[in-house]
């Protein structure tokens, strides 16, 4: 239901804007009926037949319980004509069978008016008009001729007769079919004529307004090819108006005449509101005036002899004949003596052939009505808009009015012989008024603002009048008439032109002569200047009178337009009530339907999720249902942004095999087949359970506190959708899932999940970001390592989201936006160069989610050839003070000259007419050191960036010689050999060796020298080993030279040399489209605007400026006790071993603490606070962090979980009170062999002798006695074929490694709880496993007899090396010093009680700590968080704490907390 009432019942505003504007009428309503619409139409017809055959009492029940008539009114607003007809027919059928009480309720709601409003929104059809007529009269009259006698005798009931309201609204909408419109209008006209009770109903419900609106819409059809088809409609409207005038003038009293006066006022208002007026409206007004006078005249002379020549000369018929002659021959002087004045039958007959009304009024009232009519008619003529074109009808009517007044005034000058008629008596009574109106009309028409045609018609009419001299004598005493008439005639008499103009001038001169005879005081020698001045004064006076007249008209119009205000307001109120009631009913039904659908989808989603999880668990490479033909053979970078993004996972590339080398094309074979067990979920492509988890969450009853439109920006795609903030979760729902771009992983899982669902509590960092140089984005960092970049439409939306997130209590949120604090940490040595650059990139808005704002790192080395590399030699490093493009000083002048040339061009155009937007500001470099092309250039070998590179290069790899193939060549091009290539590096050069290897076998082409592009050519000094190159490169970044000079590069990229005069001096100015502040919206030219937007998306974006002053230099200080010791690689000099305990650069550490415990220590747990705890052999530790007032990290909850109890329960012991409680029951058939907690407490991972890994989700609940609850069902991971012997968790990389008695090692994903990869580490049972928190290396140990073996793999299961020992290795751990400033070691506890250490680079032994107690094996090892302490325990329960020799300012005290329980 629309909110506004029908146009014919609108308020003054609605009327002026709706009814009285020629709005475009659409005739494209007829369209093909859809299958759903056909079903609905058939249902409505069926329901109509049912109601027709039901008893009335059952119809009442049907209305009360199922369907209400008001709802059917709403249904009639439908684009389908058949639907509207069926709904209307059903509504009328209902009404015909309703009891009186329900009919009255229907009428009280003004539902017929609401129905009219609904039907008015669409084009009418013959069928729906028939529906209304059958309900109104019992039969239709449109499609065939009808019996007028039947219509005259029709007596519609109180309910049925109100159907005339929708019928009137349909009449206006019938104009698409003129014959239908004419017949419908004729039916209304006959109803008005012959059914007297319907007249007032029609008028009170907008009949006049409907006719006016009809003419306004018909105006558009007058210039069409089929305009003649609409002539009958126009004629019928005029006939209708004549009938309304007749009825208005029939009854005595002034109130009865109001209908005609209101009609005239309304039509005048409509004409004035249309630009250049409405010709049809003007014609209608002329017809109303003419017919009103004609009717009164005929009624007054009905008892007189109409054949009397005197009566005929006073008739409108005779005046009309004279006016026609004048308008056709206004240049000729008529000769009354020779004109035939004999009355003709056609002239004296009644205008309305079938009129039956007789005017029963006295002569006094006739005079009053005549005066009112003539006054309005004269006002209509003289106050017409000068800008409106004059139509022949207006000229004829003006002539008619002049002639009529002349004849009427002339009649009062003659003496009437015999008994005068009422009309003659009325004229005699109004003689003074007639003279005034004639004077006003003549003066008004002779005004220069009126067209010359009207002026000459006046002159011709006066000359044609035999009593012209007498008439002028009667009105010449009017001074205004004298002055204006003489001036106007003077101007007309002095026109110069052709024959027509000459004749007109003669007429004017004759009239001046006549005026002179009437009054000798009139001076005929006025100059043209005096005449012009007089006419200008008259124009001004006439404009003033017109303004006063308009003011009075406005008051009358307001009264007319407000006639329906109360009705309109009442209808609008009922419309709102009906709409709300129907909407509420629909919403209730829709809610029930959605609830059922929601439940079904939720159940299906949950089923699919469980099935997918089961399929993934049982079909991977180490599972029982492995299908090798379908199992993916390619790897892609995992989206998990952990400490360093180095994890890979199985993936389907989705590219043609032409992009693969011949020997690698077999890798794409599984992609041609559907995923394994796809038939279970009912589709070939199993939807990822990430999206299902989101769908499941969205269908819960979580309250959404805020939502807004935004885009989820990733390196893969920019996805539009909506961000929803709930009480506990953040959701991002895409608008069009079918258009989402996803990189498919194994079993349908997506590497890039377009849907987002995460817990609010998992937020770690929130950063404001820019997107495409607009400050409107927000980046969220989560506990599990994922990040999301959302770009909003406005800054207001971003601010609202940021404030809404701030209202939540975010327990894990870390405030990292303190630039001064981070800078101080770097200067003090608390963080290294890599961490500092990472933080600066983050604070400057660089993001791994936006290729155009990808983190930027500097080129460090300048030597990529030679067998050796000395990191203490400054010559092997680039000049960090200079931009990368001017490392060769000879190139600097080239860029300076370019800048100077562009500056001159820019300055030259400042004073020209050429827009400055077409001339960019001067710059040194036309592109940037970092953009999407550069990132994809470096990562071309690493999916999914490979697929993005293909898209970037129009579905091809780049030219082989341009492809990243050699580090030495890349350095030379960027630093010296090219003037268009000046790229810096990306962070992956310092931690991701996989980017340098074409592991997937992509066909990258052949260079011009015949060399195939495959792996990246590496420097000889790294032994062509990508792993070693990354490690050495990381050391180079942390070298003393870089540390001392890094501040200069920071000044260029993030600091004061980024822009301004300092940037110009440093030769560091880039294209202006790369800087923030470019106003794209200010550019008017569409081509220029598109070009600038393209530049912003491709050139690159300068980071946010962090420093306005020179960055302080960091001093390099020597570590206490550190010695210069050769590194593990002979080719590299100047490597740093680090200062961890046991470092070869330090002296042998000492035992600073020794203590023996009665309960054996099973393992150590290093807490984030720095504390080290010892727990028992069948225990693990869980903890929850909290923030102190100083925002330091503290452990708020600490508890141990224990297993291997007789009842197979896992119990929890709170450390604050020692209370032991049951937490959960593990599978009784699976004896627990080991367990550990991830994320502090969120995941409990339990392994058993069946080889199953069981994961329990835990949640903190302070209201519980044990403060922990188990969420959801446990997740079981399958892959081991033997009892699991040990596991290790890495929160930094979000993985878990488990080993078993068969020698296998499997790596699990803690984010998705699924299999990543596995390998056969040993032939014998594996005893222990450890993961490096800095490198992601996995070390597993085994032994056969007395011989020990340790296998080392990287996080992606690539074998690094194996260490064999003569005695058994009992335990293993990694040192935790920061990479780059240290070469970490693998520490192993030996069978003989000693501790051995091997470096992680080439696995060479670097340190052995002698056993303190011979023969007692070391059972557990752990480094502290700073790696300055080493904790070990032997089989006798003795704890040893090792620390490096000597003390320094950063050395920690030994701290240990025993948490073992007997």
């Amino acid at each position: 239901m629309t909110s506004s009432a029908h146009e014919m019942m609108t308020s003054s505003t609605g009327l002026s804007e709706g009814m009285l504007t020629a709005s475009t009428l659409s005739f494209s309503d007829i369209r093909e009926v859809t299958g759903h619409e056909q079903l609905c139409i058939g249902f409505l017809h069926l329901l109509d037949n049912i109601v027709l055959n039901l008893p009335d009492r059952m119809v009442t029940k049907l209305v009360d319980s199922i369907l209400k008539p008001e709802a059917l009114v709403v249904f009639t607003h439908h684009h389908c004509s058949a639907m509207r007809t069926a709904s209307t027919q059903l509504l009328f059928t209902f009404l015909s069978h309703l009891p009186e009480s329900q009919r009255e309720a229907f009428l009280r709601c003004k539902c017929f008016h609401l129905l009219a409003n609904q039907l008015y929104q669409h084009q009418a059809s013959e069928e729906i008009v028939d529906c209304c007529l059958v309900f109104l009269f019992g039969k239709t009259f449109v499609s065939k001729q009808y019996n007028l006698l039947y219509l005259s005798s029709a007596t519609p009931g109180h309910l049925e007769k109100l159907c005339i309201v929708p019928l009137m609204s349909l009449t206006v909408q019938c104009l698409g079919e003129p014959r239908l419109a004419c017949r419908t209008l004729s039916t209304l006209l006959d109803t008005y004529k012959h059914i007297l009770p319907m007249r007032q109903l029609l008028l009170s419900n907008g009949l006049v307004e409907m006719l006016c609106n009809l003419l306004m819409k018909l105006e558009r059809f007058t210039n069409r090819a089929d305009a003649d088809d609409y002539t009958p409609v126009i004629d019928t409207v005029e006939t209708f108006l004549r009938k309304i005038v007749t009825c208005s003038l029939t009854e005595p009293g002034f109130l009865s005449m109001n209908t005609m006066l209101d009609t005239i006022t309304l039509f005048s208002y409509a004409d004035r509101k249309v630009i250049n007026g409405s010709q049809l409206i003007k014609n209608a007004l002329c017809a109303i005036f003419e017919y009103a006078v004609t009717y009164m005249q005929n009624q007054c002379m009905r008892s007189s002899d109409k054949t009397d020549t005197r009566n005929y000369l006073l008739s409108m018929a005779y005046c009309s004949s004279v006016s026609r002659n004048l308008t056709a021959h206004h240049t000729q002087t008529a000769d009354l003596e020779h004109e035939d004045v004999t009355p003709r039958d056609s002239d004296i007959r009644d205008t309305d052939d079938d009129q039956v009304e007789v005017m029963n009024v006295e002569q006094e009232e006739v005079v009053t009505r005549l005066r009112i009519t003539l006054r309005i008619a004269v006002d209509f003529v003289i106050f017409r808009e000068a800008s409106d074109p004059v139509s022949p009808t207006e000229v004829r009517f003006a002539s008619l009015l002049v002639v009529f007044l002349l004849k009427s005034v002339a009649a009062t000058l003659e003496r009437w012989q015999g008994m005068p008629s009422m009309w003659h008596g009325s004229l005699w009574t109004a003689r003074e008024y007639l003279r005034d109106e004639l004077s006003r009309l003549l003066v008004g028409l002779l005004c220069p603002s009126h067209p010359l045609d009207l002026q000459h018609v006046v002159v011709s009419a006066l000359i044609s009048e035999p009593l012209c001299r007498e008439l002028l004598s009667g009105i010449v005493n009017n001074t205004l008439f004298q002055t204006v008439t003489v001036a106007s005639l003077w101007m007309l008499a002095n026109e110069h032109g052709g024959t027509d103009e000459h004749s007109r001038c003669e007429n004017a001169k004759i009239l001046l002569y006549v005026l002179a005879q009437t009054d000798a005081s009139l001076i005929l020698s006025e100059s043209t200047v005096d005449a012009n001045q007089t006419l200008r004064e008259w124009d001004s006076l006439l404009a003033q009178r017109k303004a006063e007249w308009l003011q009075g008209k406005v008051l009358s119009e307001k009264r007319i337009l407000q006639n329906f205000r109360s009705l309109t307001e009442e209808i609008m109120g009922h419309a709102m009530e009906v709409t709300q009631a129907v909407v509420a009913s629909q919403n209730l039904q829709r809610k029930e339907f959605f609830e059922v659908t929601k439940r079904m989808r939720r159940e299906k989603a949950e089923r699919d999720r469980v099935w997918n999880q089961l399929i993934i668990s049982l079909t991977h490479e180490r599972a029982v249902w492995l299908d090798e033909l379908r199992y993916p053979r390619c790897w892609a970078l995992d989206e998990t942004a952990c400490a360093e993004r180095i994890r890979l996972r199985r993936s389907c590339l989705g590219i043609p095999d032409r992009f693969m080398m011949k020997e690698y094309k077999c890798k794409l074979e599984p992609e041609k087949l559907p995923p394994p067990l796809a038939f279970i979920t009912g589709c070939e492509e199993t939807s990822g359970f990430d999206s299902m988890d989101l769908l499941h969450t969205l269908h819960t009853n979580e309250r959404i506190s805020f939502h807004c439109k935004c885009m989820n920006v990733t390196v893969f795609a920019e996805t539009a959708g909506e961000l929803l903030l709930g009480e506990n979760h953040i959701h991002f729902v895409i608008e069009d899932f079918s258009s989402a771009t996803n990189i498919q992983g194994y079993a349908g899982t997506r590497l890039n999940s377009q849907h987002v669902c995460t817990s609010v509590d998992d937020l770690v960092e929130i950063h404001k970001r820019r997107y495409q140089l607009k400050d409107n984005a927000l980046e969220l960092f989560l506990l599990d390592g994922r990040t999301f970049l959302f770009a909003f439409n406005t800054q207001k939306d971003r601010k609202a989201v940021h404030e809404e997130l701030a209202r939540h209590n975010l327990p894990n949120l870390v405030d990292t936006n303190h630039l001064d604090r981070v800078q101080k940490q770097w200067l003090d040595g608390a963080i290294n160069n890599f961490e500092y650059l990472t933080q600066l990139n983050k604070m400057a808005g660089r993001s791994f989610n936006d290729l155009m704002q990808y983190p930027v790192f500097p080129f460090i080395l300048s030597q990529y050839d030679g067998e050796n590399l000395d990191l203490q030699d400054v010559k092997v490093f680039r000049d960090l003070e200079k931009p990368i493009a001017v490392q060769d000083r000879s190139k600097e002048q080239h860029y300076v000259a370019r800048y100077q040339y562009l500056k001159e061009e820019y300055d030259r155009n400042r004073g020209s007419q050429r827009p400055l937007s077409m001339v960019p500001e001067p710059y040194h470099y036309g592109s940037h050191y970092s953009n999407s092309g550069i990132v994809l250039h470096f990562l071309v070998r690493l999916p999914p960036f490979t697929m993005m590179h293909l898209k970037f290069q129009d579905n091809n790899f780049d030219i082989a010689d341009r492809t990243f193939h050699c580090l030495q060549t890349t350095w030379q091009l960027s630093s010296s050999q090219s003037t268009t290539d000046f790229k810096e590096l990306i962070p992956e050069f310092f931690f991701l060796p996989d980017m340098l290897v074409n592991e997937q076998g992509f066909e990258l082409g052949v260079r011009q020298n015949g060399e195939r592009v495959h792996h990246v050519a590496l420097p000889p000094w790294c032994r062509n080993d990508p792993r070693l190159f990354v490690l050495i490169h990381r050391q180079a970044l942390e070298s003393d030279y870089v540390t001392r000079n890094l501040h200069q590069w920071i000044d260029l990229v993030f600091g004061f040399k980024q822009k301004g005069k300092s940037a110009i001096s440093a030769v560091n100015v880039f294209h202006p489209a790369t800087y923030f502040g470019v106003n794209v919206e200010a550019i008017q030219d569409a081509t220029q605007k598109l070009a600038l937007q393209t530049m912003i998306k491709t050139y690159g974006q300068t980071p946010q400026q962090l420093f306005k002053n020179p960055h302080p230099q960091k001093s390099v200080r020597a570590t206490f006790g550190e010695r210069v010791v050769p590194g593990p690689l002979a080719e590299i000099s100047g490597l740093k071993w680090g200062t961890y305990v046991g470092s070869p650069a330090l002296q042998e550490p000492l035992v600073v603490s020794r203590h023996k415990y009665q309960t054996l220590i099973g393992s150590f747990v290093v807490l984030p606070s720095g504390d080290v705890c010892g727990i028992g052999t069948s225990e693990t530790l869980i903890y929850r962090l909290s923030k102190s007032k100083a925002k330091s990290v503290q452990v708020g909850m600490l508890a141990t979980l224990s297993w291997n109890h007789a009842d197979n329960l896992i119990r929890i012991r709170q450390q604050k009170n020692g209370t032991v409680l049951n937490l959960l029951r593990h599978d009784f058939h699976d004896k627990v062999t080991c367990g550990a907690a991830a994320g502090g407490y969120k995941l409990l991972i339990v392994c058993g002798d069946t080889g199953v890994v069981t994961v329990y989700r835990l949640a903190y609940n302070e209201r519980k006695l044990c403060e922990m609850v188990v969420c959801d069902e446990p997740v079981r991971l399958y892959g081991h074929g033997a009892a699991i012997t040990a596991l290790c968790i890495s929160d930094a990389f979000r993985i878990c490694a488990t080993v078993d008695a068969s020698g296998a090692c499997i790596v699990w994903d803690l984010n998705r709880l699924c299999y990543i990869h596995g390998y056969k580490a040993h032939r014998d049972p594996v005893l222990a496993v450890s993961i490096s928190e800095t490198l992601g290396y996995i070390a597993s140990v085994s032994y056969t007899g007395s011989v020990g073996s340790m296998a080392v793999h990287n996080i992606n299961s690539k074998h690094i090396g194996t260490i064999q020992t003569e005695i058994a290795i009992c335990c293993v751990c990694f040192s935790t010093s920061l990479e780059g400033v240290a070469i970490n070691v693998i520490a192993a506890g030996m069978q003989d009680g000693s501790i051995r250490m091997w470096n992680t680079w080439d696995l060479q032994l670097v340190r052995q700590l002698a056993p303190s107690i011979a023969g007692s094996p070391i059972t557990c090892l752990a480094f502290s968080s700073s790696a300055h302490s080493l904790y070990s325990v032997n089989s006798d329960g003795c704890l040893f704490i090792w620390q490096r020799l000597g003390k320094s300012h950063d050395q920690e005290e030994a701290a240990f907390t025993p948490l073992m329980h007997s």
Side-chain angles (χ1 to χ4, degrees), residues 1282-1283 1285 1299-1304 1320-1328 1340-1344 1349 1369:
T1285 55
V1299 292
D1300 62 23
S1302 68
K1320 184 75 171 180
H1322 303 273
R1323 296 181 178 178
D1324 300 302
V1326 184
L1327 300 179
S1340 57
V1341 298
S1342 177
Y1343 72 93
T1344 303
S1349 174
I1369 302 174

Side-chain angles (χ1 to χ4, degrees), residues 811 813 821 1168-1169 1185-1196:
L813 188 66
R821 184 173 64 191
S1169 60
L1185 299 179
S1186 62
K1187 294 180 182 178
S1188 65
K1189 294 183 179 180
K1191 295 186 178 181
S1192 60
V1193 177
Q1194 295 183 346
V1195 177

